Amino acid sequence: MISRAQALLIVLLVWATIYLPALGSLSIKGEEGRRILPAVRMLETGNYMIPQVGSQPYLRKPPLINWLVAASFKIFGYRNEWTARLPSALSVLAVAVVFVMVARASLGASGSAIAALIWLTNFGMIEKGRLIEIEALYVSLFAIAFICWISGWEQRRSPWFTWMVPWIFLGLGWLAKGPTHVFFFYAIVLAVLWRSGELRKLWNIPHLIGLIIMMSIFAAWAIPFAKTAGVAQVIHVWSRQFSGRLAGEGFNFRSWSLNIPRSLAYFLPWLFFVPLLHGAKFSSDRKIDMVRGLGWGIVIPLLIVDLIPGSLPRYAMPLLAPAAWLLAEALTAENLTWPSWLTGRQFRPKNRIRAVAFVTIVTSACVLLYAVAFVPYLQTRQQLKTIAAKIDHLIPSRENLYAVDPDYQPILFYVERKLIYVGNLDELPSEAHFFLVQPDLEHAALGRASVALRIKDYREREIILMRQ
């Protein structure tokens, strides 16, 4: 038996080893700027209702991730990569703690700790948990909702806990990315209840109240947001987001054909243990029904989502937490054997613990090696900071830098000069001696200024520094 305190200590050490080293050593990349720049604007303007990228409202995603980044900047007093990415790492840790604390009654002392370690050490969460992208937060909120529901159901806890508490986290998930996670959640709930013959339990007052709570959390932001930004514009942007995914805009057959393999790869290195599910034997009928229901609740939505033409592998990441639970159930089963096409031998409890420890230690060591050996090399190849330094060098310290409708420019996070956004060239004041424009505005800007610097970032996107 392992105590809660021991399990929490192990989880904390593994988390710190994987998620903290070199967390802020590399410049932002990918979509990180869309999470960071709106947070900076929120702190500058005091407008926390409508995220902004550059001078334009960013309507495509809810603002929970931006709020957390802004809070991190405010609490620590620094705006850098480390404080920006910390909310993602803390989200991952929160789920591991919930596994240990809440799932212990269902999975047992060893099983809850194993599930937490699987959660911390799968490739998907390692990748996203070290970046400030939506997935780490969004998937973590889903995971907490899932753990609370499956634990409450399996232990026959009060319906007020089982059917209300998870919906609080589902509501926060809406504020992180939108409603997609609700599909995964109900796929699992329905599969488990169907296997156990308890579908009628969906119809209860606590569940109805839970749904109201979930929608109220989202509506508390969405209604005033839509009124401020314009209801028609918000509906147009959100509907385009949804319909574009279903219609497969920008469809690439090669990429689409790899959706399922890439989704499965997120669960590495634990994917190699999945064949054990076939050889796990349980004495409790309720446990058997739950395990089989979880299996169907993972496989069916994974196939549905990954086969949608406009889908990406990361869309199925909410299934990582149920997969961690399911594998932990197998690794703590009363009887466990490898499939006959592997060894067919019994997998003894002591050897299971050794295998989990080995995979955890090797994974942690690999991430630590990456932080110590490879990150210093990657730091020498960072473009954004180099470009920002060139801009700062050309602009006297007393001058402001104006950005004319810059769209998404991650470079701006690293510019030290005071940055002022304007919507068009006519809004530039007479004292604006330095300003940034996109290529389509260069010709118009040449009537009042000359080109000081042409800039291309890692996306091959160009922006031009003008001087007058």
Side-chain angles (χ1 to χ4, degrees):
M1 286 289 290
I2 181 173
S3 69
R4 277 195 175 91
Q6 290 172 325
L8 287 173
L9 179 59
I10 292 170
V11 161
L12 186 60
L13 288 174
V14 172
W15 171 80
T17 302
I18 292 176
Y19 291 90
L20 293 186
L23 181 64
S25 298
L26 297 178
S27 57
I28 60 177
K29 63 179 182 179
E31 293 292 292
E32 286 189 292
R34 296 191 193 276
R35 319 306 163 208
I36 297 172
L37 293 176
V40 173
R41 291 288 285 161
M42 287 175 175
L43 292 172
E44 291 174 348
T45 65
N47 180 4
Y48 293 87
M49 184 63 63
I50 302 179
Q52 289 180 294
V53 174
S55 57
Q56 300 298 321
Y58 183 66
L59 307 179
R60 293 170 56 188
K61 294 291 187 293
L64 182 58
I65 190 72
N66 309 128
W67 292 344
L68 293 178
V69 174
S72 182
F73 288 165
K74 191 75 173 178
I75 291 169
F76 289 97
Y78 293 98
R79 299 180 186 180
N80 55 33
E81 298 92 342
W82 193 89
T83 53
R85 290 168 179 155
L86 185 61
S88 289
L90 290 176
S91 298
V92 177
L93 175 62
V95 176
V97 171
V98 172
F99 264 123
V100 171
M101 300 300 293
V102 178
R104 188 180 178 92
S106 296
L107 287 172
S110 297
S112 58
I114 289 171
L117 293 175
I118 293 172
W119 167 260
L120 289 173
T121 53
N122 68 78
F123 285 5
M125 293 318 303
I126 292 174
E127 178 191 355
K128 301 301 182 182
R130 291 177 55 87
L131 299 172
I132 187 58
E133 294 187 354
I134 291 177
E135 275 68 32
L137 173 64
Y138 171 71
V139 174
S140 294
L141 289 169
F142 172 88
I144 294 173
F146 160 76
I147 295 167
C148 290
W149 183 83
I150 199 76
S151 298
W153 175 84
E154 205 268 341
Q155 293 296 308
R156 303 181 189 273
R157 297 185 64 176
S158 164
W160 298 101
F161 173 86
T162 306
W163 294 97
M164 281 181 58
V165 172
W167 276 258
I168 296 173
F169 297 99
L170 293 176
L172 293 173
W174 275 68
L175 285 177
K177 193 174 182 179
T180 311
H181 63 304
V182 178
F183 165 72
F184 291 107
F185 186 81
Y186 275 99
I188 288 170
V189 170
L190 289 171
V192 171
L193 294 181
W194 166 68
R195 284 295 312 181
S196 60
E198 297 181 4
L199 279 173
R200 65 186 182 279
K201 288 192 174 181
L202 276 172
W203 313 106
N204 60 75
I205 296 300
H207 184 196
L208 176 61
I209 295 174
L211 287 169
I212 294 172
I213 291 172
M214 177 183 72
M215 296 306 301
S216 298
I217 290 172
F218 180 69
W221 166 79
I223 292 174
F225 165 77
K227 288 181 178 179
T228 304
V231 176
Q233 176 69 6
V234 170
I235 292 175
H236 172 73
V237 172
W238 287 358
S239 62
R240 284 289 298 160
Q241 281 275 99
F242 181 74
S243 62
R245 297 288 186 264
L246 292 179
E249 292 182 357
F251 177 75
N252 181 293
F253 178 80
R254 183 177 180 275
S255 178
W256 173 80
S257 65
L258 294 174
N259 273 356
I260 293 176
R262 287 174 177 171
S263 292
L264 295 175
Y266 278 136
F267 198 53
L268 288 170
W270 302 101
L271 188 65
F272 295 115
F273 290 84
V274 169
L276 286 168
L277 293 172
H278 180 72
K281 306 299 181 184
F282 304 95
S283 58
S284 164
D285 290 339
R286 191 169 182 81
K287 184 76 74 175
I288 294 171
D289 289 335
M290 182 181 68
V291 168
R292 290 178 178 175
L294 271 179
W296 286 112
I298 292 170
V299 172
I300 292 175
L302 174 71
L303 293 175
I304 291 174
V305 170
D306 277 348
L307 291 177
I308 293 174
S311 183
L312 295 172
R314 57 185 168 85
Y315 294 170
M317 284 187 68
L319 297 173
L320 288 173
W325 182 293
L326 190 58
L327 189 54
E329 290 280 16
L331 288 169
T332 53
E334 289 92 338
N335 185 33
L336 183 63
T337 56
W338 288 100
S340 57
W341 54 272
L342 286 174
T343 65
R345 296 179 180 177
Q346 188 175 9
F347 199 17
R348 299 183 182 280
K350 186 177 292 186
N351 292 334
R352 303 176 206 173
I353 298 299
R354 289 173 178 169
V356 171
F358 175 78
V359 173
T360 300
I361 291 170
V362 170
T363 304
S364 302
C366 288
V367 176
L368 194 58
L369 178 64
Y370 160 80
V372 173
F374 289 94
V375 167
Y377 166 73
L378 295 175
Q379 285 179 311
T380 64
R381 301 170 61 86
Q382 298 182 101
Q383 295 184 27
L384 295 182
K385 292 182 179 180
T386 302
I387 295 170
K390 291 180 180 178
I391 294 174
D392 287 325
H393 178 73
L394 290 172
I395 303 174
S397 59
R398 66 181 181 276
E399 293 281 354
N400 297 327
L401 173 62
Y402 292 79
V404 182
D405 190 21
D407 193 27
Y408 170 47
Q409 298 294 343
I411 298 167
L412 300 181
F413 179 64
Y414 295 102
V415 174
E416 295 182 0
R417 299 294 176 260
K418 183 179 179 181
L419 191 62
I420 301 173
Y421 293 97
V422 296
N424 53 65
L425 290 170
D426 294 333
E427 295 179 12
L428 284 172
S430 57
E431 65 270 16
H433 297 134
F434 295 88
F435 57 93
L436 294 166
V437 296
Q438 296 189 65
D440 59 338
L441 289 177
E442 179 184 1
H443 181 72
L446 286 173
R448 59 189 298 173
S450 59
V451 175
L453 181 66
R454 293 185 183 275
I455 301 160
K456 274 192 178 181
D457 62 16
Y458 63 90
R459 305 168 300 161
E460 294 300 314
R461 292 283 298 276
E462 187 177 28
I463 192 168
I464 303 163
L465 175 65
M466 309 295 294
R467 174 171 48 200
Q468 65 174 355

